[in-house]
Amino acid sequence: MLASLCGLWVIEERITDATGYISTLADETVLVLATADLETASVIAQGLVATPEVRKIEIRRARGLPDIVLKDDDLTRGGEKALMALTRPITPAAGANQMTELSLYFVRPDRWICTILIGLCLLAFAFKVLLIWRAPELLQNLVLRRHLQATRSSSSVSRPRHRRLARILSPTEDAALPQVGTLGGLLESETDMAMLLSVHGKVVDVSPGWLKAGGYRRENVIGRPLHHFISDADRKMVTDRLERLTSSGVSQVGTLKFLARKGETIDIWFAASPVSTPDGQHFTLAIIRQLPEISEAGHPLPPVLTDQLTGLLNRMGFERALTRLLAAGGDEIICILADFDRFKLVIDHHGYETSEEVLRAFVSRLSAALDPVSLSARLGGDEFAFVIKGPNARTLAENFAAAIHYATYRPVLVRTHSVTVNIRVGIAIAPLHANTSETLMRNATIAVSAQKATGRQGTTWFQPAMLADTRKRAEIQADIQRGIEDNLFEPRFQPIISLASGRLVGFESLMRLSHPQKGVIMPNEFIAIAEETEQIGPAGRQFLAKALAGLRQISRHCENEQLNMSVNLSPNQLNPAMIDFVGDKLEAFGISPSRLTIEITEAVFIDDSDRIRESLLKLRALGCRLALDDFGTGYSSLSYLSRLQADIIKIDQSFTRNLTDPDQAVASRARRLIEGIAAISISMGCVLVAEGVENNEQARQVQAIGVQLGQGYLYARPMTLAQTVAWIRSS
């Protein structure tokens, strides 16, 4: 790195010398051009561009007159982009030919060598940062490995070795774990399954018994993330458990499906606890047992297959019991799946303890309705499953689903917190919809997803047609991921017009997914899925960066730095990281924050979280404007308007279009609604935008009511950047 910096210093000296020479040449030329006529200026330009130092020259003249531009014949377009430039103003003498500015372009000395040296410096710096970042973990693992290797050195000293390792790995909580004195033997046991994890969830060490059960080789295991060895259905549960263990130090116990090397799954029980070394290094020790081994050893199955929080069955216990019920045959078996909506927000806002109290309260409220239920389980997190069997199972299932919703109807009071939750229910029937426990639960899950897609709390019965929707959803999710990876999310610009003057005041930028094979995919097809899968974050950042870049180009083309732009952010995007990204991009593109309007819908207020409130305040502090989109479609819009303190109100397009409805009753009602919105909004100092303006009559009516701005097909459809520039030229 030092040698590269010295080389860069030498090159910088050469650049300074070259720039000094060009600067002197430019100053002398400017004095001559101040009194020269056009013919003389052309001769001077030809002479300069013929010198080896100057590769291109531009002499700009007064507005409306052609410029003089000359360059070397062998100068390529790529070479031209790499040139350095030096510009000097020209103060023309009286009667001169109105030349205003001179620019000389010259080659950067040792440009390629400079690029190589900069690359070497960056590489050396990155290596240094990586070394600093990884060194503590590498040293930590090295120290621990030395202790572990020392304990394996000789079987004749096994007892002292165990005592030594027990001192090194002293558990901070020993609930559900063997005694401390046995830890040394666990990690070298040929029969017991044990593993040691780093604070980052990577495997530090495993016992030979663990390797034997999974069919793995040690070198293929050490250093890999834990989730590589867990079935997909249990990965989120384990991630949540490890996060809680790390944050609270509380041991975690449960069951999951372990992935063996050949692809088969093994039902296991685990107990994980934090452990530490005397010098303050932290790890997680997991003790594992195969469930059949517990049964054969005489341990009772119920505690292992029971959810400790609620006393119901856990996922593994439920799957085993459901398999037995299906094998017995007979009456219809109905699987009812209940999933809380956005329960992670409860955890984020109130903490784990409060969220657990909410789940306990739900089970307690539901206990009176459990009589007809054959199986009850908490599958993990906020997901519950129930089974009803019998000749009148469908009627009982309907009644039980209603009881589930009633159990979440009232807020749950936990100490000083009042927590309101929503729940979605999906139902599938065996043997009508499935013959195996796995398929039955999958179909019930599909029904839950269908209910979530409605955006409402309720119950949905599985229909075979939903399988096609599930496949389509998976396909769209793959399209979104491809869009993120291949940079396929793009903005479309729709103009916003002053109704009084017809002047262009700005644009709304709308997201599109430009698929190479499928063409343009509209947001109504992918936004909801992107939000549910948390893909909206990277997709939204990609879109916003392109939209701001487009605004800069449009403004330069129009020579109008006052044009504003609005973009829509979903509740999932309203977080501090996204607001920081907005600020960074505004600064990078040189756009004033006051020119960016963030549109939000009433869905933002459903969460009503500290995160959203903080994000909105941060946007205001940044200088961005806030708009309430689709105003008037929600049942409590006025309440939201008061809380948001919006700068702009966008009247929903359905109201605008209804102004010219053939049914006079519909048209009259739409007009009264817009008049009411306008009266309230204007009194609060908000600017009004009418969406969906499609004809001159609609534009005339909304303007007469008091709406200032219009947006819709009357002016233009959403356009690409190139189409927008062409539209501006033709306007």
Side-chain angles (χ1 to χ4, degrees), residues 317-386:
F318 181 78
E319 289 176 353
R320 291 188 170 198
L322 180 57
T323 299
R324 288 196 298 270
L325 280 178
L326 291 171
D331 297 321
E332 281 189 333
I333 295 175
I334 296 183
C335 179
I336 304 169
L337 209 65
D339 191 9
F340 283 83
D341 188 33
R342 300 182 181 181
F343 194 73
K344 190 175 186 301
L345 293 174
V346 177
I347 299 174
D348 292 342
H349 304 157
H350 303 293
Y352 278 105
E353 290 186 6
T354 299
S355 65
E356 288 181 347
E357 289 299 327
V358 171
L359 297 178
R360 287 195 189 98
F362 168 69
V363 174
S364 176
R365 291 178 179 182
L366 202 59
S367 59
L370 288 176
D371 289 342
V373 176
S374 302
L375 299 174
S376 304
R378 178 182 174 227
L379 302 182
D382 58 346
E383 191 177 25
F384 291 80
F386 307 91

Side-chain angles (χ1 to χ4, degrees), residues 416-678:
T416 59
H417 302 295
S418 176
V419 183
T420 301
V421 291
N422 291 324
I423 201 164
R424 324 285 188 182
V425 176
I427 303 177
I429 307 171
L432 178 63
H433 299 144
N435 293 312
T436 66
S437 61
E438 181 180 0
T439 306
L440 186 62
M441 292 176 65
R442 182 199 66 186
N443 291 345
T445 302
I446 290 173
V448 170
S449 298
Q451 180 59 45
K452 284 186 175 182
T454 67
R456 301 186 303 274
Q457 178 169 299
T459 300
T460 296
W461 289 72
F462 173 79
Q463 300 293 334
M466 293 178 182
L467 290 173
D469 294 336
T470 301
R471 285 191 290 269
K472 183 179 179 181
R473 175 188 171 86
E475 184 179 337
I476 292 174
Q477 188 174 341
D479 291 338
I480 296 171
Q481 188 59 37
R482 181 175 180 180
I484 294 169
E485 295 171 356
D486 295 348
N487 202 30
L488 302 179
F489 286 97
E490 296 179 352
R492 295 291 186 270
F493 300 92
Q494 187 172 35
I496 300 174
I497 304 295
S498 168
L499 293 171
S501 65
R503 179 177 57 88
L504 173 68
V505 299
F507 295 88
E508 180 178 0
S509 187
L510 304 158
M511 183 187 288
R512 301 290 188 267
L513 174 53
S514 296
H515 195 281
Q517 286 78 43
K518 299 178 180 179
V520 176
I521 301 177
M522 301 299 284
N524 62 317
E525 295 185 51
F526 65 81
I527 287 292
I529 295 174
E531 290 177 349
E532 288 180 25
T533 58
E534 299 185 355
Q535 294 170 302
I536 192 64
R541 289 191 292 272
Q542 186 183 121
F543 157 76
L544 181 63
K546 291 183 179 180
L548 290 173
L551 176 62
R552 183 176 64 175
Q553 292 187 48
I554 293 169
S555 299
R556 288 179 176 176
H557 180 80
C558 296
E559 297 183 354
N560 183 354
E561 295 298 327
Q562 301 304 313
L563 289 177
N564 58 64
M565 183 179 72
S566 61
V567 296
N568 198 295
L569 291 187
S570 70
N572 291 353
Q573 292 174 282
L574 283 173
N575 56 69
M578 183 62 178
I579 308 309
D580 289 340
F581 180 84
V582 170
D584 291 343
K585 288 303 175 184
L586 287 169
E587 183 178 356
F589 289 117
I591 297 173
S592 170
S594 62
R595 297 175 60 196
L596 179 65
T597 299
I598 303 299
E599 296 186 14
I600 58 177
T601 62
E602 295 171 10
V604 164
F605 297 98
I606 294 175
D607 294 337
D608 195 22
S609 67
D610 293 337
R611 168 181 59 84
I612 287 178
R613 286 192 292 272
E614 178 186 346
S615 299
L616 293 176
L617 289 173
K618 201 168 183 179
L619 280 170
R620 280 203 166 280
L622 189 64
C624 297
R625 297 192 298 173
L626 297 178
L628 190 55
D629 196 16
D630 300 335
F631 188 80
T633 58
Y635 66 92
S636 54
S637 295
L638 297 180
S639 169
Y640 295 147
L641 177 59
S642 172
R643 292 159 62 190
L644 175 63
Q645 298 179 347
D647 303 290
I648 298 170
I649 300 299
K650 302 196 75 174
I651 299 171
D652 186 69
Q653 59 185 341
S654 63
F655 299 152
T656 306
R657 290 170 181 165
N658 284 345
L659 285 172
T660 53
D661 193 279
D663 188 334
Q664 288 302 309
V666 173
S668 177
R669 183 173 182 273
R671 183 178 181 86
R672 289 196 301 272
L673 283 169
I674 296 176
E675 287 173 344
I677 294 171

